[in-house]
Amino acid sequence: MRTQVCIIGGGPSGLLLGQLLHSIGVDAVVLERQTQEYVLSRIRAGVLEVGFQNLMRQAGVGARMDREGHVHNGTLITYNDERVRIDFSTLTGTSVMVYGQTEVTRDLYAARAEIGAKTFHSVENVEIHDVEGDAPYVTFDQDGVTHRVECDFVAGCDGFHGVSRQRIPKDKRKEFEREYPFGWLGVLSRTPPADEELIYANSSRGFALCSMRNAELSRYYIQCPMTDRIEDWSDDAFWDELRRRIPSETAEQMVTGPSIEKSIAPLRSFVCEPMQWGRLFLCGDAAHIVPPTGAKGLNTAASDIHYLFEAMRAHYLDHDASAMDQYGPRALARVWKTQRFSWWMTTLLHHFPEQSDFDHHIQAAEIAHLRDNVEAQRVLAKNYVGLPY
Ligand code: APR
Ligand code: PHB
């Protein structure tokens, strides 16, 4: 078969790119390793920067997000019982939207089905060929049949464990990584959120996050050792520990209930350079990973898609042959800014095993600095709502 862009990966990155390309009449095929049901079963963060919201609207997929998403004009940073509110709207003139990544992906799949675009699920043995030349192609197996996709470009949107990044010769790519000495134990519960806004809590016992999906569905996390297993944590043990890490007034009022999902995720910072190799372009988790503290995973995937879409639009509509060469450097410039912010938020709010009492005092002083300094709050707010593309 022949298409203009072969997109490997049917997660948010791949689907959003496919929808944007369709909006300018460029054909794309999506190859996804899992079933659609499996992709939609993933529980992922859903704090959307304005840039992401606008891309969804530009792709014609923003209606339900605008209808059901929750605008958040601020967030709370707490240190034991001390509360510092970061007022996004006053400090930046804008806000974020809370709308689950699962819902984003659901909307993108529905839109793709509506346009009748080709999406192959449960594919195996995806291989990327001849991206160094001007006639790349991708082969894959589905139900025992091998298929070949001739294309102009390959978009590697297949996440951290995909094949695209590996297609860049090992001696030609440089990988930058930091692993954090703890994980996040996450719980989803059918209970009302602990507060109207998210609470990022540092405490003498470690980090906690109170988030939500909607008025009836809450998402909580506590920092835990990577050696912990889910079976080590009963629901009661989780709620008790969470309550000890957030302000006591919130802890006393919050509603707890049975967990409907419980998982432990590692935290890592990771960047692959370059983000393009010939006619192969890496987007999203295929190229970079951030610790979730700054809610930048999905939002950095979005800025990659913005840059790649703009380059492809210039290539196909303006016949600008140089546009595609700009993708990698442009995307990486913003990737490193979100890497910095995610690392900074993680360092500010978590306990590190090797930390001394001096380090703990520095963290407390950093949060006091935020409390007392509106310009420090503005810097945090500008990064959180999303730096310009
Ligand atoms: N062939 C086809 N599809 C693949 C392959 C492969 N070899 N390997 C992985 N995939 C699919 C995965 O099944 C997944 O559905 O690629 C998709 C990649 O999606 P994500 O991992 O969600 O990555 P991305 O689309 O870049 O979205 C980034 O997702 O993981 C979160 O925190 C991350 O919020 C961020 C967002
Ligand atoms: C979530 O709701 O899952 C979430 C929100 C904000 C974050 C991380 C996760 O920074």
Side-chain angles (χ1 to χ4, degrees), residues 187-195 211-220 239 242 254-260:
V187 158
L188 191 66
S189 59
R190 215 171 291 289
T191 54
D195 196 298
S211 183
M212 64 202 70
R213 292 292 176 269
N214 56 48
E216 299 82 35
L217 203 55
S218 295
R219 182 68 168 163
Y220 296 101
W239 295 123
L242 177 76
M254 70 180 289
V255 176
T256 63
S259 59
I260 54 179

Side-chain angles (χ1 to χ4, degrees), residues 160-161 176-183 226 266-270 289 291 339 343 346 352-354:
F160 187 67
H161 301 291
F176 305 87
E177 186 161 18
R178 171 180 293 240
E179 295 204 348
Y180 296 88
F182 41 73
M226 271 319 290
L267 273 67
R268 103 166 19 97
S269 298
F270 175 88
I289 296 283
Q339 288 284 334
W343 163 83
T346 303
F352 290 71
E354 75 281 1

